[in-house]
Amino acid sequence: MKKVLFSILLAAFVLTLAAQTLPIYLDDTRPVEQRIEDALSRMTLEEKIAVIHAQSKFSSAGVKRLGLPDFWTDDGPHGVRPDVFWDEWEQAGQTNDSCVAFPALTCLAATWNPEMSYIYGKNLGEEARYRGKHMILGPGVNIYRTPLNGRNFEYMGEDPYLASRMVVPYIQAMQNEGVAACVKHYALNNDEEYRHQVNVIVSDRALHEIYLPAFKAAVVEGKAWAIMGGYNLYKNQHNCHNKILLNNILKKDWAFDGVVVSDWGGTHDTEEAITNGLDMEFGTWTNGLTMGTSNAYDNYYLAMPYKKLIKEGKYTTKELDEKVRRVLRLYYRTSMDFSHKNHGFLCSEAHYEAARRIAEEGIVLLQNTGNLLPIDRNKVKRVVVVGENAIKMMTVGGGSSSLKVQREVSPLEGIRTILGEKVQVEYVRGYVGDVTGEYNGVSTGQNLVDERKPEMLTAEAVEKARTADYVIFFGGLNKSDYQDCEGHDRKYYELPYDQDRVLEAIAKVNKNVVYVNISGNGVAMPWKDKVAAIVQGWFLGSEAGHALASVLVGDANPSGKLPFTWYAGLKDVGAHALDAYPGVWRDNEKIIDEEYKEGIYVGYRWTEKNKIRPLFAFGHGLSYTTFKLGKVIADRTEISASDNITVSVDVTNVGSRAGAEVIQLYVSDKKASVDRPLKELKGFKKVFLQPGETKTVSIVIDKDALSFYDEVAKAWKAEAGDFELLVGNSSDNITSRVKVTLK
């Protein structure tokens, strides 16, 4: 009897051991949550620890014993970054990792078209899937609080509602391709210079009304599978392991079921990381070989130090199992989801076409005195193109969004191609900026060195411009340090490289000057009234030249709108007017406290409150045709808290060209118990019209559009009373309004 019992127990043990070592079956049809619990039950402590931290620069370990593959992440929000060496930032020198560069996210936001956002996410997701990436580190939705932020070009502007509407389709489309979006940088990561040391002091109301809505939309509506913590601190805790932001708001209030990923090097403490919501740790102070220790990845905060605390009994595996569940859920949504028959595409013509469409829709015509634009190819004979930004590749540099592209069409090349051989197009340098052309081992291959003195360059530009039919000056910023670049903020608001002087000298000898600003930020324009046309050209990626040229000659009618307020100077920015940027160093000089003294008054909210006239208002953007907006009508004037309101307005294209207009709906609370902005964007819709065509545009809002965040109740609140619904085509051009009453 004992022998029989022993045999049964031995057989059970062998079967159990076999079950623990068998791979997870690929054709398992059980619900995902059951599969997660099954996989979790099979994992050893060492395997659980291994999946929650990096094993290389951009990957974390899977569980090979169970058939769970390694997990691969990659930058960035504008294109799939070239592969780097296992333990180094330098690119690995592969020949199959070039990509299509899509326009920077400021340009995407400037389309004011969620359809473009969906196209963006889908095409980027296809490139990532082809490259074997399971998660793309983006998109970014931090708020444009100051135009000096070096990373503004990666974000979606100053308005929380606009960013919310634009981020959701991007996430949905990318994740439909089986690639996780990792929305960043959560939260309050609004400047770069001291990003590891900034402790943000902000009111609860500003936090919830301005800085969190886009993240909330990404999680609640977009169902983002991952969130990246910011480098900065909030309430003296680093945001990659911040109890309030991660445990209380993200995971509890918003019911986020995905993975919280640390920014690379954003983890600072093992016990905070254990208890305060971090799930996966990447990039902690080491390259795995020559910095830190030889077994660097095992010494991450969530590696051996965590395991040691469990072994010592200070922690159980409760927190660890919850982290692993989230990581496994991420696996089953991406690398372990074999329902996606599409294996992706790389550098397809469809992707280039998508990049061009987004670029054309995002380009903003800021000024067009005398209808100088578009250029008539049948009448113009000689065009002079001035400026380094007409020839400089902009896809290399800028930090983690730097790319290695298959091709990038320069503005000069695009103009020469579209104008053809009948038009003489001459190029002069005008100014010399950054001639390096290299980032992390990726080189542009351009030789931009020019040893001539600035006076000689200016004289040449003026002489060539004197007799030209058109002068097109390509200026602005680039992706060098202290311009539009990760890691540093801009040092000043003015244009670099003495561009102002060159431009003013040209404007004295030619009245037909078109200034094209290449940047992700606003710049000072003291010469604004001396040039006829101003175009915001962003960083447009692979199809930059084709898109810009198409808009300049009118093949594409510009329809972009500014996603931020374009200030005349820094004194007009709330954060600078109140001396609230970049903050005050503590006595120990390790932490800088940055108080957001302007509160909810960011961007147009600030300028309107203080009666400041910006150079160009939020939502501003011109067209080559003219639109007429009719009288706004609401389907009801008295509403209860459960009602929706449909606001309608007729829009007519009264010009001679087909084009698109963005109808913008703002809400104004006429009497409130708290201080509220004069108006806030709460709806918009882009409408395409043929000449003479009229369409009725309808926008639906509910009580959320009338609400503010009540700091006492710690909840959103809509107060009974009168509201005005304002309709126009920019924040400073309201054409019609209607009053409604909330009972």
Side-chain angles (χ1 to χ4, degrees), residues 483-733:
Q483 294 203 40
D484 278 327
C485 185
E486 178 184 359
H488 292 290
D489 287 343
R490 296 165 64 192
K491 292 184 176 180
Y492 45 83
Y493 191 48
E494 292 71 27
L495 286 171
Y497 315 128
D498 210 14
Q499 294 175 63
D500 290 341
R501 182 178 57 81
V502 183
L503 188 54
E504 293 207 29
I506 291 172
K508 288 180 180 178
V509 301
N510 195 311
K511 64 180 181 178
N512 292 337
V513 177
V514 179
Y515 174 73
V516 181
N517 190 70
I518 305 298
S519 75
N521 265 307
V523 298
M525 294 182 173
W527 34 260
K528 173 180 176 292
D529 296 332
K530 298 177 183 178
V531 301
I534 302 174
V535 174
Q536 175 57 18
W538 311 113
F539 297 116
L540 297 179
S542 291
E543 288 291 292
H546 287 152
L548 283 164
S550 183
V551 167
L552 290 172
V553 303
D555 286 358
N557 193 347
S559 62
K561 301 283 187 176
L562 283 179
F564 54 75
T565 301
W566 200 297
Y567 307 96
L570 290 181
K571 68 181 185 305
D572 296 338
V573 185
H576 296 272
L578 297 175
D579 197 23
Y581 166 92
V584 179
W585 287 101
R586 295 182 185 176
D587 292 339
N588 60 13
E589 295 188 354
K590 292 182 179 179
I591 297 294
I592 182 170
D593 288 314
E594 185 170 355
E595 183 179 358
Y596 287 18
K597 297 178 183 177
E598 71 278 15
I600 61 173
Y601 290 97
V602 176
Y604 68 92
R605 291 166 170 83
W606 172 265
T607 55
E608 293 186 353
K609 173 183 173 68
N610 293 283
K611 297 181 172 57
I612 297 169
R613 185 175 181 179
L615 281 185
F616 304 106
F618 171 78
H620 169 78
L622 304 176
S623 170
Y624 295 149
T625 191
T626 304
F627 300 95
K628 181 180 179 182
L629 277 62
K631 184 177 180 180
V632 61
I633 299 172
D635 66 342
R636 61 187 71 196
T637 57
E638 288 191 354
I639 59 172
S640 65
S642 60
D643 290 331
N644 290 337
I645 313 170
T646 300
V647 181
S648 302
V649 61
D650 287 344
V651 186
T652 304
N653 182 349
V654 296
S656 58
R657 292 174 178 264
E661 181 62 291
V662 178
I663 307 306
Q664 302 167 33
L665 171 65
Y666 297 83
V667 172
S668 175
D669 191 343
K670 304 314 293 180
K671 185 178 181 181
S673 62
V674 296
D675 191 26
R676 300 196 69 177
L678 294 180
K679 60 176 175 286
E680 297 181 278
L681 182 72
K682 293 299 178 181
F684 63 88
K685 188 168 289 187
K686 197 166 197 174
V687 57
F688 294 82
L689 297 168
Q690 296 296 322
E693 184 180 10
T694 298
K695 288 184 179 179
T696 300
V697 173
S698 296
I699 299 172
V700 179
I701 63 172
D702 58 19
K703 77 175 182 65
D704 289 347
L706 312 179
S707 302
F708 64 90
Y709 187 80
D710 187 331
E711 293 184 322
V712 177
K714 296 189 181 302
W716 289 86
K717 182 177 182 179
E719 293 181 329
D722 292 338
F723 295 81
E724 271 193 328
L725 309 183
L726 316 173
V727 169
N729 59 6
S730 70
S731 62
D732 69 340
N733 188 36

Side-chain angles (χ1 to χ4, degrees), residues 92-105:
Q94 296 180 6
T95 58
N96 62 346
D97 59 350
S98 297
C99 70
V100 173
F102 297 93
L105 292 189

Side-chain angles (χ1 to χ4, degrees), residues 445-484:
Q446 292 182 301
N447 182 4
L448 297 179
V449 175
D450 194 320
E451 301 292 348
R452 289 177 293 171
K453 295 181 178 179
E455 295 78 10
M456 295 178 63
L457 295 170
T458 301
E460 179 192 39
V462 169
E463 186 59 31
K464 293 288 186 181
R466 194 181 303 274
T467 55
D469 296 323
Y470 277 83
V471 178
I472 308 175
F473 189 106
F474 285 89
L477 309 177
N478 55 43
K479 291 185 177 179
S480 303
D481 283 346
Y482 301 104
Q483 294 203 40
D484 278 327

